[in-house]
Amino acid sequence: MAARKVILDCDPGQDDAINQLLAMSSPDDLEILGITAVAGNVPLPLTQRNARLICDIGARPDLRVFAGREEPLQRPLVTAEYVHGANGIDGIDIYEPDHPLQEQHAVDFIVETLSAAKAGSVTLVPTGPLTNIASALQKAPDIAQSIESIVLMGGAMREGGNCTPSAEFNIYVDPQAAKIVFDCGRPIIALGLDVTHKVLATSARVDRIRALDNRAASATVGMLDFFNRYDTAKYGSLGSPLHDPCTCAYLLAPELFTEKSCNISVEVDSELTMGHTAVDYWNVTDKAHNAMWVHDVDADQFFGLLTERLARFTG
Ligand code: BDR
Ligand code: CA
């Protein structure tokens, strides 16, 4: 089967970076049309730099990286250096990468790529605030027809929020954008905290990656060692949740995950619950189903997949 065409839209972020490596490790499964950076975990100049740095680490000079929106659609940017460090991908050697930044704006790249694509042929993989994707849909609504599905990390139901009591970070940072995306009419696969909090980077799992001998695996371990500090203290868990790699893992091995079709609506009015994802898991409304809510995963197999794919890198 031909590789699935994907656009990675991200705000690296250690977990975005590991997701990028996972995608880059799997060219037979995933054809990366482009990597679009958005402001989120850290400001845009750092997220686009980090995406390029990860291309360097994964030795993929062929990949194009685009910088997108610097601010959410309507609200001021909220960042998360307290989780990810001042650089977003702290834990590895940070430098200005050789890998170039494309001149074209990420939103224009998304519009142009989807406009030229066959109906239902491109999968969007957003792992940050949904500002770039929503902007593209606002700019050229017809591009929706080219979207095969949107496999995103965002939202929370049973777990509650991780940056407010009600909201998960990616949705909270740009709730208006999230609403546009959830209402766009194309298939949405939402991997929120209910599933990502089951994917814990325990020391035994990280040690299996540590045993690999290549640059991508070493970078993954460096980032995980840093990332683990904050979340293990916050949650009292044995490792940090590896949120964003759930998206590409879902594309590579959907059988590892369990999901349910339902309606998901995004709160954009209440300051108290801004960015809350109202997941109608039990069908208590008659709202049309607009998403698959992923709520379970085989975490051991997830880490088995990640480790096996990281082992594919050479050098
Ligand atoms: C999400 O927020 C970011 O901090 C992570 O990169 C992930 O995308 C988890 O809530
Ligand atoms: Ca992210």
Side-chain angles (χ1 to χ4, degrees):
M1 213 170 72
R4 186 191 288 246
K5 295 180 192 305
V6 298
I7 295 176
L8 305 180
D9 185 71
C10 55
D11 64 334
Q14 289 91 351
D15 57 334
D16 302 79
I18 295 167
N19 191 48
Q20 189 178 323
L21 289 170
L22 180 57
M24 287 158 59
S25 74
S26 307
D28 292 345
D29 303 293
L30 303 175
E31 179 189 348
I32 303 172
L33 301 180
I35 301 171
T36 52
V38 68
N41 287 320
V42 286
L44 184 71
L46 299 184
T47 59
Q48 58 89 349
R49 187 269 320 264
N50 294 347
R52 291 185 292 119
L53 209 160
I54 298 302
C55 290
D56 250 21
I57 289 174
R60 288 292 301 270
D62 57 305
L63 295 180
R64 293 182 296 162
V65 177
F66 302 82
R69 294 280 306 239
E70 282 184 78
E71 294 281 339
L73 296 185
Q74 295 179 25
R75 291 164 65 83
L77 178 65
V78 175
T79 54
E81 287 86 354
Y82 57 95
V83 180
H84 299 274
N87 286 290
I89 52 172
D90 290 42
I92 59 170
D93 190 20
I94 310 282
Y95 59 89
E96 178 56 31
D98 296 335
H99 199 97
L101 179 68
Q102 300 296 312
E103 274 180 25
Q104 190 177 27
H105 193 282
V107 172
D108 294 331
F109 165 73
I110 294 169
V111 169
E112 187 181 285
T113 304
L114 292 179
S115 299
K118 288 192 192 136
S121 64
V122 178
T123 299
L124 303 181
V125 188
T127 56
L130 290 156
T131 322
N132 284 346
I133 307 295
S135 298
L137 287 165
Q138 280 183 320
K139 197 166 184 180
D142 286 353
I143 61 171
Q145 65 191 2
S146 302
I147 299 173
E148 191 267 331
S149 61
I150 302 176
V151 181
L152 64 89
M153 191 281 135
M157 178 194 160
R158 294 194 173 97
E159 279 293 288
N162 62 351
C163 80
T164 74
S166 308
E168 180 279 326
F169 179 81
N170 289 340
I171 308 297
Y172 177 75
V173 173
D174 199 340
Q176 284 78 18
K179 181 171 166 47
I180 289 169
V181 170
F182 274 99
D183 293 348
C184 80
R186 299 304 300 156
I188 309 257
I189 317 291
L191 296 119
L193 300 183
D194 291 11
V195 65
T196 67
H197 278 190
K198 295 178 178 173
V199 180
L200 299 181
T202 63
S203 49
R205 289 166 174 164
V206 178
D207 282 348
R208 281 192 275 277
I209 300 173
R210 207 182 300 276
L212 303 175
D213 184 22
N214 66 56
R215 199 175 166 205
S218 302
T220 299
V221 169
M223 290 190 282
L224 284 176
D225 284 345
F226 182 92
F227 199 44
N228 265 338
R229 285 178 222 167
Y230 176 81
D231 279 334
T232 49
K234 177 177 177 182
Y235 298 111
S237 59
L238 295 172
S240 61
L242 209 40
H243 307 283
D244 295 338
C246 286
T247 56
C248 281
Y250 184 92
L251 289 170
L252 295 171
E255 67 279 6
L256 304 188
F257 295 85
T258 310
E259 63 276 296
K260 187 174 181 186
S261 172
C262 56
N263 179 272
I264 301 178
S265 300
V266 180
E267 175 61 61
V268 291
D269 293 322
S270 158
E271 267 309 316
L272 179 64
T273 58
M274 182 64 72
H276 174 67
T277 40
V279 180
D280 188 6
Y281 191 85
W282 301 116
N283 281 316
V284 296
T285 71
D286 54 8
K287 290 183 181 173
H289 291 192
N290 62 346
M292 300 298 285
W293 178 246
V294 185
H295 55 89
D296 207 0
V297 60
D298 184 325
D300 281 331
Q301 288 204 48
F302 169 96
F303 275 93
L305 173 73
L306 178 64
T307 308
E308 179 260 310
R309 295 295 161 126
L310 287 172
R312 294 180 174 188
F313 287 94
T314 52

